[in-house]
Amino acid sequence: MAPLQVLSAFIASFIFMQTLGNSQTCPDCFTHSRAAHYPNSEEKGTETGSCGFGTFGATINGGDVSAASELYRNGLGCGACYQVRCTNSNYCSDKGVTVVVTDQGAGDRTDFILSQRAFARMAQTTDAAASILPLGVVDIEYRRVSCTYPDKNITIKIEESSDNPHYLAFVIWYQQGKKDITAVQLCETQNFVCKLLDRTRGAVWTTTSPPRGPLQIRMLLSVDDEDETWVVPVNNIPENWKAGDTYDSGIQADA
């Protein structure tokens, strides 16, 4: 082979490998998959989702929520947001719908089981939505996007099973941005001794014998176990916290 041909082949091979590498690491690229919708008559999500959000998990984001299979990631994926759009150009819009993961579930080779509201919102029009809903399962493409709640701070919801001062369980609402909450610490506000909490299921964090006094919750936000940042709320959980109460953290942490 002539030197010029060898050089041309090398350059072509290099460009191909660069393109392949970029496509595999592109954080904003779409992934092809399939999505179904909840088979019940509920337009919004379920109140018994695996993430442990309860009623909040059915109504957050206007009810545009979803169960996820592999993206559930043993609860780490709870609260993550995804742009999901179906691919049939006759019925589907380019924008699609942004959903929040609030449950775990899998269908026929699907990554998402959407609420019926979210499934219909992938369509261009109301008539188009009436056409895709009976299909049950459609081809889609999706990508992770930032969760945005402009008028909301991260909120701590104390689980009904909690019992002050013996047992504390809570979930974290309004998780902004594209990072995962990979760890949570509970700290005493007097001597600043902290302990790592257990993720017992979904987005539920728990501890036995929590410290007395006002409590500070610290959250570790990260992307693929990298770019880690500890976030410290402005507001503490009061000493007299009660099961069922919610507490505004005072921060949005939308990094």
Side-chain angles (χ1 to χ4, degrees):
M1 183 180 291
L4 183 59
Q5 291 176 309
V6 172
L7 179 61
S8 299
F10 173 79
I11 293 175
S13 176
F14 177 79
I15 292 175
F16 172 77
M17 294 304 296
Q18 286 291 102
T19 302
L20 179 62
N22 290 339
S23 66
Q24 292 175 335
T25 59
C26 173
D28 294 321
C29 293
F30 283 93
T31 299
H32 294 278
S33 183
R34 285 157 55 88
H37 63 72
Y38 283 107
N40 56 28
S41 60
E42 295 296 326
E43 184 185 43
K44 297 183 180 180
T46 175
E47 297 183 2
T48 58
S50 299
C51 289
F53 289 137
T55 303
F56 175 80
T59 58
I60 186 176
N61 197 36
D64 291 338
V65 297
S66 179
S69 51
E70 292 184 3
L71 295 173
Y72 179 76
R73 294 177 292 150
N74 294 319
L76 187 63
C78 291
C81 293
Y82 292 89
Q83 180 185 2
V84 182
R85 61 189 190 188
C86 52
T87 57
N88 187 326
S89 59
N90 293 323
Y91 302 108
C92 304
S93 70
D94 292 334
K95 182 179 179 181
V97 63
T98 297
V99 297
V100 181
V101 174
T102 61
D103 194 9
Q104 180 183 24
D108 179 14
R109 295 175 289 121
T110 63
D111 275 308
F112 297 93
I113 301 179
L114 306 176
S115 65
Q116 290 195 17
R117 169 189 164 89
F119 197 91
R121 282 168 58 82
M122 293 191 294
Q124 299 172 9
T125 64
T126 303
D127 289 341
S131 296
I132 67 170
L133 274 169
L135 298 176
V137 181
V138 294
D139 293 326
I140 62 158
E141 52 186 16
Y142 70 88
R143 63 181 176 183
R144 187 164 183 182
V145 295
S146 290
C147 296
T148 304
Y149 307 103
D151 301 323
K152 300 291 185 180
N153 293 326
I154 290 178
T155 300
I156 308 300
K157 168 64 164 55
I158 308 297
E159 288 278 275
E160 298 292 347
S161 60
S162 298
D163 181 19
N164 192 353
H166 308 292
Y167 175 73
L168 174 62
F170 61 85
V171 293
I172 299 172
W173 290 358
Y174 302 117
Q175 172 185 341
Q176 290 99 343
K178 293 173 67 174
K179 294 184 178 181
D180 298 318
I181 300 177
T182 55
V184 173
Q185 287 184 333
L186 186 66
C187 304
E188 301 178 24
T189 56
Q190 295 179 347
N191 56 20
F192 297 104
V193 173
C194 300
K195 62 184 296 187
L196 281 171
L197 303 188
D198 297 319
R199 184 196 295 272
T200 53
R201 63 182 178 89
V204 181
W205 300 88
T206 64
T207 183
T208 56
S209 302
R212 302 294 181 96
L215 302 174
Q216 182 185 84
I217 291 177
R218 304 175 72 233
M219 295 162 283
L220 181 63
L221 305 183
S222 66
V223 178
D224 297 329
D225 295 325
E226 299 178 356
D227 189 21
E228 297 182 334
T229 304
W230 280 102
V231 174
V232 181
V234 174
N235 302 325
N236 296 323
I237 295 178
E239 181 176 7
N240 62 341
W241 57 265
K242 299 189 297 295
D245 283 355
T246 58
Y247 299 102
D248 188 326
S249 70
I251 59 171
Q252 291 197 343
D254 54 359

